[in-house]
C-alpha cells in the first residue's frame, strides 16, 4: 500500500502546475503530495535570494494551460502586459522580434496563489523536506527519501509515480538507478549563471533600445554577457526586471582578453549603470517583491533531456532541462510540460501500468508541442 498515488517532488512553479494538472485530469480522485524544501511562508523559492527569474512568459503558453486544465492567471500574478520580445545586436542596429504577446509575472505572489489553488484541488503539501534520493522496488521507482528539516528525522513517502520538479541540479535525476536512457548530469558548459534586480527608477534619456514599457528587451553582446545576454524586462513605466546570464568558461576567457576580474554580480552592476534610461534605480520594496528583489541562480541552455521517464519516474521543467536554449526562457515550457504531464500520469495510473514503456508517451507529447 502506497502513501500517495502521485508525489510531485519540488514545490516551485512547474511542480504546482503539474500537481494541478494531475488533479484536473483525475477529477481530483487521486491522492497527490507536493514536497517543497522551503518554509511554507516562502513556497517554491529557488534559493535564499528568492524566485530568481526574468519573470517573462508568453501569452500563448498561459493560454495553453488555461484551455486544458482551467488554471487562469490574472492580477496580481500577472504584473504587466507586453507586446513581445525584441533582441538587439551589440551595435543596436539590428533587432529581431520574437515570442509575441506575453506577461511579466510576480513570482512571489504567483507561487502563493498557485499553492492556494492546488490545495483547493485536494493536493497535500509537505514543507521543509530535503530530498536526497528515490526509493526503489527492484527496477521501479516507488517513492522518495530524505530528511525532514523540521524534525531532523529521516523522511520517506511512497507513491505509484514520482514527478521530479526539483530543478536543474536535481539529486533525484543525478542518482537515478533504473534507467540508462536518462541523462543524469548536465555539462557545466550547458549552464548559465544568471542574476537580476527588480527595481524602480527615474526615467533618463528616452531610448527604446534600452528600455521599452511595451517590450522585453534582450541585448546580445559578448562583452556585456559572455555566452549569454542581458535583459531589460518592463514591469511598468518605471519598474524593471534587469539582469543578465553568462557562461562561466566564456566569462573567464573574456576576463583574460580584457584584463578584468568580473563575476556575475559586477557585470550586473555595470550593465545597470550603463543604461541611459534607468536612473537612480532602487530595489523594489513592495511587499510582493521584498523577498525577491535581487538574486543569482543557474539555468540550463541546452535541449531538454532526451528521455524524461523511467519506471515510476517522470521529470518536468528545469529538472528535465526544458528552458529554451536561445533565451533560457523556462516558464513557457514549464507550463506546457506541466499541463501535459497530468494527462500522462492519470492515464498510466488508470491503466495500472507505470512502466517506462507506458510512460514514454510523455516524451512524445512534449516534443509534439
Amino acid at each position: 500500500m502506497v502513501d500517495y498515488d502521485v508525489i510531485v517532488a519540488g514545490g516551485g512553479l512547474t511542480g504546482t502546475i503539474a500537481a494541478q494538472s494531475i488533479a484536473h485530469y483525475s477529477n481530483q480522485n487521486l491522492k497527490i503530495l507536493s514536497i517543497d524544501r522551503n518554509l511554507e511562508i516562502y513556497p517554491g523559492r529557488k534559493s535564499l535570494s528568492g524566485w530568481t527569474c526574468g519573470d517573462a512568459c508568453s501569452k500563448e503558453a498561459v493560454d495553453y494551460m488555461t484551455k486544458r486544465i482551467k488554471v487562469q492567471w490574472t492580477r496580481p500574478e500577472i504584473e504587466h502586459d507586453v507586446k513581445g520580445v525584441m533582441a538587439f545586436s551589440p551595435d543596436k542596429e539590428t533587432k529581431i522580434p520574437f515570442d509575441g504577446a506575453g506577461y511579466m509575472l510576480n513570482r512571489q505572489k504567483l507561487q502563493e496563489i498557485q499553492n492556494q489553488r492546488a490545495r483547493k484541488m485536494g493536493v497535500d503539501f509537505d514543507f521543509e523536506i530535503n530530498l536526497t534520493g528515490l526509493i526503489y522496488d527492484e527496477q521501479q521507482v516507488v517513492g522518495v527519501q530524505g530528511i525532514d528539516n523540521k524534525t531532523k528525522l529521516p523522511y520517506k513517502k511512497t507513491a505509484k509515480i514520482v514527478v521530479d520538479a526539483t530543478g536543474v541540479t536535481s539529486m533525484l535525476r543525478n542518482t537515478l538507478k533504473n534507467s540508462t536512457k536518462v541523462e543524469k548530469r548536465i555539462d557545466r558548459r550547458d549552464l548559465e549563471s544568471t542574476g537580476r534586480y527588480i527595481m524602480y527608477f527615474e526615467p533618463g534619456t528616452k531610448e527604446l533600445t534600452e528600455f521599452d514599457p511595451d517590450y522585453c528587451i534582450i541585448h546580445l553582446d559578448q562583452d556585456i554577457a559572455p555566452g549569454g545576454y542581458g535583459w531589460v524586462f518592463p514591469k511598468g513605466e518605471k519598474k524593471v526586471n534587469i539582469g543578465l546570464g553568462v557562461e562561466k568558461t566564456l566569462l573567464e576567457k573574456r576576463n583574460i582578453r580584457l584584463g578584468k576580474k568580473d563575476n556575475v554580480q559586477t557585470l550586473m552592476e555595470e550593465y545597470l549603470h550603463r543604461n541611459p534610461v534607468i536612473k537612480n534605480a532602487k530595489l523594489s520594496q513592495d511587499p510582493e517583491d521584498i523577498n525577491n528583489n535581487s538574486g543569482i541562480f543557474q539555468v540550463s541552455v541546452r535541449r531538454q533531456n532526451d528521455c524524461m521517464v523511467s519506471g515510476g519516474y517522470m521529470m518536468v521543467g528545469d529538472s528535465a532541462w526544458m528552458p529554451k536554449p536561445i533565451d533560457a526562457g523556462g516558464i513557457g515550457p514549464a507550463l506546457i510540460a506541466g499541463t501535459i504531464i497530468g494527462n500522462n500520469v492519470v492515464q498510466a495510473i488508470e491503466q495500472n501500468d507505470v512502466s517506462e514503456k507506458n510512460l514514454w508517451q510523455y516524451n512524445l507529447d512534449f516534443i509534439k508541442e
Side-chain angles (χ1 to χ4, degrees), residues 132-146:
T132 56
L134 296 160
I135 301 171
Y136 298 86
D137 181 0
E138 296 182 351
Q139 288 300 304
Q140 196 76 7
V141 171
V142 294
V144 295
Q145 58 187 330

Side-chain angles (χ1 to χ4, degrees), residues 131-134 164 166-167 169-176 185:
L131 294 178
T132 56
L134 296 160
D164 181 358
T166 57
T169 57
S170 168
M171 282 290 293
L172 306 187
R173 184 200 63 237
N174 287 350
T175 59
L176 186 67
R185 295 186 180 273

Side-chain angles (χ1 to χ4, degrees), residues 8 10-25 32 34 57 61-62 64-66 69-73 77 105 107 110-111 113-115 117-118 121 123 125 163 165 316-317 330-343:
V8 180
L13 174 61
T14 313
T16 47
I17 290 295
Q20 289 173 83
S21 179
I22 296 164
H24 171 80
Y25 282 113
I32 305 163
S34 172
C57 180
V62 176
Y64 181 96
M65 170 187 68
T66 301
I69 62 172
K70 314 307 177 190
V71 173
Q72 190 165 9
W73 289 354
E77 304 107 297
L105 307 174
R107 290 298 300 275
L110 175 62
Q111 197 62 54
I113 295 169
Q114 283 286 105
N115 281 24
R117 288 198 184 106
M121 298 179 78
V123 177
F125 284 82
V163 175
V316 68
I331 299 177
L335 297 189
I336 292 170
T339 299
I340 290 170
I341 204 170
N343 191 38

Side-chain angles (χ1 to χ4, degrees), residues 256-297:
I256 292 171
R257 175 168 56 85
L258 298 178
K260 294 189 174 184
K261 297 181 179 180
D262 282 320
N263 54 36
V264 174
Q265 188 69 49
T266 60
L267 288 175
M268 285 169 58
E269 291 291 334
E270 181 180 343
Y271 185 54
L272 171 64
H273 292 305
R274 65 176 285 280
N275 192 303
V277 182
I278 299 172
K279 297 298 181 183
N280 299 320
K282 298 185 184 301
L283 292 174
S284 172
Q285 299 301 306
D286 291 346
E288 59 269 26
D289 295 325
I290 194 66
N291 297 305
N292 190 43
N293 56 21
S294 67
I296 294 174
F297 200 65

Side-chain angles (χ1 to χ4, degrees), residues 321-368:
W321 308 323
M322 285 182 174
K324 295 176 287 183
I326 293 177
D327 63 5
I331 299 177
L335 297 189
I336 292 170
T339 299
I340 290 170
I341 204 170
N343 191 38
N344 296 122
V345 166
V346 172
Q347 286 185 6
I349 290 176
E350 287 178 347
Q351 294 162 3
N352 196 30
D353 183 357
V354 296
S355 65
E356 178 185 282
K357 181 178 180 180
N358 202 40
L359 295 178
W360 194 265
Q361 187 63 39
Y362 169 58
N363 288 322
L364 303 178
D365 289 347
F366 180 72
I367 291 170
K368 289 175 186 175

